[in-house]
């Protein structure tokens, strides 16, 4: 097994001289997405409009679900598979940018996924707005050699064109929804409808040809809607759709309560993680209650809750009042630009301490990556750029923790290093956070996340493999750096065995 980022800097991908061969898998022409491009931001405006003028997602989702039921989808939305009690499946989140970081994941994913029964795509299959013609290079082509079915839950970007393309690809080529009656004049809904982004009438012309890339009998999967459950082996896997703004409509909430009943062990897959960046986000349900109320209830027997949307890996082992430990996982590092981990403060949430918490990339690697990125972007490399050793050392100082990776030669922390760490929003201990009034971390994470078009390895991408038996689930997080050294032997960055008893 190759070194991980917790073992050596080389295991993290630093200093890799040879880029992987993944570029041979890519189409000849790759359209780079820049989230600093006003045209891209304007096309992805529906999330902002929903927060300003009311969110129509719940109503639209209800119409999709009703249409699928009328077409013969099972009323309980449960997919019943015949896998044995010992089986494996993959989880990969936030994949679909279609450029180097997404394709760099593919060779390691294919190697690590050998023998698995299926995969689950956890949030944001297609960027920037979920268009049907983007599925060619951002879904069918990269995963054409994965020979098992792929199920999916939508993320907010898949909803930016009202989920039409997602439903066509994953839900038995569901027809377009008929137009709703126009909202009343001078209402907020009317203003929203005037500004709402909708798909082009020509979108989807290439979809039939793209499907041929994953046309094998064993690759086919039809799911009953944007949310579903899978009964297989000894577990039930439940996927929920959190829409544009990270919440559930009342109808889906009632369904979630129903399918969560019973003693069968359960794993939740969600587009909005319940614990992330050192904070608890329980996910509200319209009409009352939260998703985490359901997940943490002892009578429902959940053992893990895995969320996409945030483009890195995090794990919070939360010990519940009844003595069980529930693993809350963030796994959204499947291809989109990397969300920083160095901005996560020292963890102390729901009894989870820094000693229990795991993340990838390591905070020091994240800080070094971003410092070099902004050194290039601002043409201030000599000032901004930090080595991976400097990043690790200053993070350890600010958080008051030992160095995560076995340290090399001692690093002298200078005023410049500390200043760069502060400017880039590096987290700190809770007792220190109170001293600063400027919300540097919030400003940094909301305004200055980069576009993946500027990336070169290491990419710090990741995916999960879960091996299920009647006694336990073994969860492993694999890394994809984009370097040749780790391409076909992806390092294991985290591993935990979850009992099912």
């Amino acid at each position: 097994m190759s070194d991980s980022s917790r073992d050596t800097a080389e295991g993290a991908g630093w200093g890799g001289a040879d880029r992987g061969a993944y570029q041979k898998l890519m189409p000849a022409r790759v359209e780079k997405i820049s989230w600093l491009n006003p045209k891209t931001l304007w096309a992805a405006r529906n999330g902002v409009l929903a927060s300003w003028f009311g969110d129509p997602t719940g109503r639209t989702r209800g119409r999709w679900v009703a249409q699928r039921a009328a077409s013969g989808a099972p009323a309980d939305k449960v997919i019943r598979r015949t896998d044995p009690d010992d089986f494996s499946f993959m989880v990969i989140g936030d994949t679909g940018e279609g450029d180097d970081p997404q394709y760099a994941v593919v060779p390691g994913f294919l190697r690590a996924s050998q023998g698995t029964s299926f995969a689950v795509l956890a949030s944001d299959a297609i960027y920037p707005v979920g268009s049907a013609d983007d599925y060619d290079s951002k879904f069918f082509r990269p995963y054409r050699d994965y020979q098992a079915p792929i199920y999916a839950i939508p993320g907010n970007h898949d909803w930016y064109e009202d989920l039409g393309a997602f439903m066509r690809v994953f839900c038995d080529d569901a027809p377009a929804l008929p137009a709703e009656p126009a909202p009343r004049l001078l209402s907020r809904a009317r203003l929203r409808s005037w500004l709402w982004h909708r798909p082009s009438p020509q979108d989807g012309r290439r979809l039939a040809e793209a499907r041929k890339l994953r046309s094998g009998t064993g690759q086919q999967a039809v799911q009953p809607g944007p949310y579903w459950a899978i009964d297989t082996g000894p577990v039930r896997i439940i996927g929920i759709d959190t829409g544009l703004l990270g919440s559930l409509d009342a109808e889906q909430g009632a369904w979630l309560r129903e399918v969560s009943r019973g003693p069968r062990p359960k794993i939740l897959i969600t587009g909005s993680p319940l614990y992330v960046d050192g904070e608890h986000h329980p996910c509200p349900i319209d009409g009352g209650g939260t998703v985490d109320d359901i997940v943490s209830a002892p009578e429902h027997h959940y053992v893990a809750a895995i969320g996409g949307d945030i483009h890195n890996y995090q794990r919070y082992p939360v010990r519940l009042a009844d003595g069980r430990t529930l693993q809350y996982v963030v796994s959204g590092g499947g291809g989109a630009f990397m969300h920083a981990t160095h901005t996560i403060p020292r963890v102390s949430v729901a009894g989870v301490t820094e000693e229990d918490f795991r993340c990838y990339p390591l905070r020091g690697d994240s800080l070094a990556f971003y410092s070099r990125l902004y050194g290039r972007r601002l043409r201030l490399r000599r000032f901004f750029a930090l080595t991976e050793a400097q990043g690790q050392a200053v993070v350890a100082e600010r958080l008051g923790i030992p160095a995560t990776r076995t340290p090399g030669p001692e690093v002298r922390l200078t005023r410049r290093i500390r200043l760069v760490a502060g400017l880039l929003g590096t987290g700190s201990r809770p007792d220190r956070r109170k001293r600063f009034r400027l919300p540097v971390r919030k400003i940094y994470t909301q305004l200055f996340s980069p576009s993946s078009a500027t990336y070169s390895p290491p990419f710090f991408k990741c995916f999960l493999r879960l091996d299920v038996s009647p006694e336990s689930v073994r969860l492993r997080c694999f890394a994809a750096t984009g370097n040749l050294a780790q391409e076909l032997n992806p390092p294991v960055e985290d591993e935990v065995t979850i009992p099912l008893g």
Side-chain angles (χ1 to χ4, degrees), residues 26 91 464:
M26 299 171 65
V91 176
L464 307 182

Side-chain angles (χ1 to χ4, degrees), residues 108-192:
F109 176 85
L110 293 175
R111 176 65 64 89
S113 67
Q114 291 180 6
T116 57
S117 298
F118 58 90
V120 177
L121 202 165
S123 178
D124 290 337
I126 302 295
Y127 294 95
V129 293
S131 299
D133 280 335
D134 282 340
Y135 273 86
D136 181 355
S137 61
K138 300 176 183 181
F139 175 73
F140 289 106
R141 178 179 291 272
Y143 310 118
R144 60 184 172 182
D145 292 326
Y146 180 65
Q147 296 303 315
I150 299 177
Y151 303 98
I153 57 168
N156 57 314
H157 288 267
D158 300 308
W159 269 100
Y160 285 163
E161 290 190 349
D162 291 333
L163 209 63
F166 180 96
M167 296 297 293
R168 291 179 66 181
V169 171
F170 295 106
C171 299
D172 204 21
D173 211 11
L177 289 174
E180 283 193 294
R184 60 186 179 84
L185 199 63
L186 302 181
S187 66
R188 290 199 310 160
R190 175 62 70 92
L191 183 56
R192 183 187 64 218

Side-chain angles (χ1 to χ4, degrees), residues 6 9 13 17 46 55 75 82 149 165 234 267 276 284 289 337 339 344 347 367 380 388 395 397 401 409 428 466 473:
R6 291 179 172 270
N46 284 0
D55 184 4
T82 58
I267 298 170
V276 62
F337 69 83
H339 279 134
I344 302 172
V347 170
L367 176 59
L380 294 170
E388 58 274 15
V395 164
E397 179 188 73
I401 60 175
S428 62
L466 290 88
V473 176

Side-chain angles (χ1 to χ4, degrees), residues 171-446:
C171 299
D172 204 21
D173 211 11
L177 289 174
E180 283 193 294
R184 60 186 179 84
L185 199 63
L186 302 181
S187 66
R188 290 199 310 160
R190 175 62 70 92
L191 183 56
R192 183 187 64 218
S193 70
W194 285 336
L195 298 172
W196 200 251
H197 172 80
R198 294 178 176 84
S200 162
Q202 290 78 38
D203 188 44
R205 290 177 298 177
R206 300 195 299 270
L207 194 54
E209 187 67 22
R211 287 183 192 275
K212 296 177 182 178
L213 296 172
R214 277 187 53 84
S215 59
T217 302
Q219 295 176 312
Q220 304 312 301
V222 175
Q223 57 192 60
Y227 56 91
W228 41 260
I230 298 174
D231 279 352
T232 184
V235 299
R236 170 170 281 187
I237 303 162
I238 298 173
I240 59 172
D241 169 20
T242 56
L244 283 172
L245 301 182
S247 63
L248 265 63
D249 59 278
E251 179 184 358
Q252 185 180 182
W255 169 85
L256 178 60
R257 292 184 179 94
E258 181 64 30
V259 297
S260 297
R261 292 176 180 165
R264 190 170 193 161
K266 299 172 186 72
I267 298 170
L268 182 77
I269 311 289
T270 169
S272 298
L274 303 180
Y275 283 86
V276 62
D277 294 346
E279 298 173 348
H280 184 208
H281 297 270
C283 188
I285 299 173
D286 290 351
T290 69
V291 170
D292 200 32
D293 291 339
I294 299 170
V295 168
S296 60
E299 65 269 22
H300 294 151
H301 299 276
Y302 279 88
V303 298
I306 303 170
D309 188 53
I310 304 300
H311 307 165
N312 53 46
Y313 172 82
Q314 302 173 43
R315 180 169 64 84
Y316 300 81
V318 175
R319 190 167 179 83
L320 303 178
D322 63 350
R324 294 177 301 130
T325 297
L326 207 160
Q327 300 290 342
Y328 291 88
V329 177
V330 178
S331 183
F337 69 83
M338 185 190 85
H339 279 134
T341 59
H342 67 267
T343 58
I344 302 172
R346 179 168 174 150
V347 170
S348 180
V349 59
V352 180
T353 66
E354 188 64 36
E355 290 72 26
D356 307 315
F357 171 69
R358 294 291 182 271
C359 70
Y360 176 77
L362 300 178
R363 291 179 175 100
D365 289 332
S366 171
L367 176 59
F369 175 90
Y370 272 72
S371 74
R372 298 178 189 194
L373 174 68
Y374 282 102
R376 293 194 303 269
R377 180 170 291 173
L378 300 175
R379 299 184 181 180
L380 294 170
R381 297 189 189 198
R382 293 186 63 183
F383 173 74
F384 264 100
L386 304 180
T387 67
E388 58 274 15
Q390 290 169 336
Q392 180 175 236
V394 72
V395 164
E397 179 188 73
R398 286 177 67 96
L399 271 63
I401 60 175
T404 308
R405 188 159 54 229
T406 303
E410 184 177 352
V411 174
R412 185 174 70 89
L413 293 179
T414 64
R415 184 176 300 177
R416 178 189 73 88
I417 293 172
R418 293 187 176 103
L419 178 59
V420 169
L423 289 173
L424 293 181
T426 306
S428 62
R429 297 195 298 268
D431 59 323
R432 288 187 174 183
R433 293 168 69 196
K434 298 175 183 177
R435 301 179 188 176
F436 298 95
R437 298 296 181 187
L438 182 66
V440 173
R441 176 172 167 264
K442 186 173 182 180
I443 293 171
Y444 175 78
T445 55
Q446 291 188 356

Side-chain angles (χ1 to χ4, degrees), residues 35-48:
W35 295 104
L36 303 178
N37 185 332
K39 183 178 179 180
T40 302
L41 295 175
W42 176 244
R45 63 189 179 271
N46 284 0
V48 175

